[in-house]
Amino acid sequence: MARPGGNTTGFILFEYSLSGKWVELLKQIAPTLSRVAVVRDPVEFSGVGQMAAIQTSAPSFGLEVSPVDARDAKNIESTITTFTRGSTGGLIVTSSGSAIGNRKLIITLATQHRLPAVYPERLFVTDGGLISYGPDLVSQFRSVTSYVDRILKGEKPRDLPVQAPTKYDLAINLKTAKTLGLEIPQGLLARADHVVE
C-alpha cells in the first residue's frame, strides 16, 4: 500500500474495520437486538470483506448474522421480509452500487418492518434512513486533487501511497428514530456530524 507499483495509486473508500463500527453503532441504538441482516453485494470484493468483518465482530455483541444479497430489488425485498419473521432484528447495509441504487426500497423496508438500520453513507439518512457512518466523501475527493497535482508535476503513481480515510461522517435521522420508537443515546447525538430533525 505504501508503494503500490505500476500505474496505480488511489484512495481506499471503505476500511473493513469500519464494518465492526457499524455493528457497535447498531447495538448502541438498539441494545436488545439479537440478530442482524447484512445487505451486501456478494460479487463485489468490498462486500465480501465487509461481511467477513461483520461476522467476526457480531458475536462479541451477541448478534447472529444473516446475509441479504443485494442482487436486485425482488431479492432484497423477499429476504428482508423473511428475516423480519424471527426475533428482534436489525439491519446493516454495506457499501455497494446495488445498495445505493436500491436505497429507497431498503429504507422503506427497514421502516415498514421497524428495523433499526445502519447505512454506509449520509445519502441514506437524508433519504429517511436511521443512521450512517462512513468516510467523509467530500474530504476524500479534496485529497484526490493533491495527488492529481503531484502526478501532473511528474511524480509516478506507483510511488504514491494508497490513502485510507482520515475523516468519518456520522449522520442520524431523529425523525426516523421517533418513527421506530428508538431513543438515540445523548453521547451518540453529541458525536454526530449531521442530525436530521
Side-chain angles (χ1 to χ4, degrees), residues 23 39-40 58 69 77 109 135 148-149 175 187:
V23 175
V39 179
R40 52 79 190 251
D69 291 344
E77 185 167 7
L109 289 167
V148 171
D149 181 56
K175 183 178 175 185

Side-chain angles (χ1 to χ4, degrees), residues 25-41:
L25 285 169
L26 186 61
K27 203 61 174 172
Q28 268 188 286
I29 58 175
T32 61
L33 290 183
S34 58
R35 301 176 320 124
V36 61
V38 180
V39 179
R40 52 79 190 251
D41 189 335

Side-chain angles (χ1 to χ4, degrees), residues 109-129:
L109 289 167
T111 305
Q112 177 185 333
H113 295 292
R114 302 184 61 79
L115 295 171
V118 177
Y119 302 94
E121 295 180 32
R122 185 182 351 152
L123 174 65
F124 287 85
V125 172
T126 57
D127 281 348

Side-chain angles (χ1 to χ4, degrees), residues 1-35:
M1 298 296 258
R3 296 176 64 88
N7 287 325
T8 305
T9 192
F11 292 80
I12 299 171
L13 289 182
F14 287 91
E15 296 179 74
Y16 299 129
S17 62
L18 183 63
S19 307
K21 185 67 174 174
W22 293 333
V23 175
E24 180 185 334
L25 285 169
L26 186 61
K27 203 61 174 172
Q28 268 188 286
I29 58 175
T32 61
L33 290 183
S34 58
R35 301 176 320 124

Side-chain angles (χ1 to χ4, degrees), residues 20 35 43 48 56-57 70 86 92 96 103 116 135 140 146 150 165 176 185:
R35 301 176 320 124
V43 297
V48 173
T56 300
S57 62
I92 294 175
S96 72
R103 74 183 176 279
Q140 288 284 93
S146 69
R150 290 170 69 179
T176 302

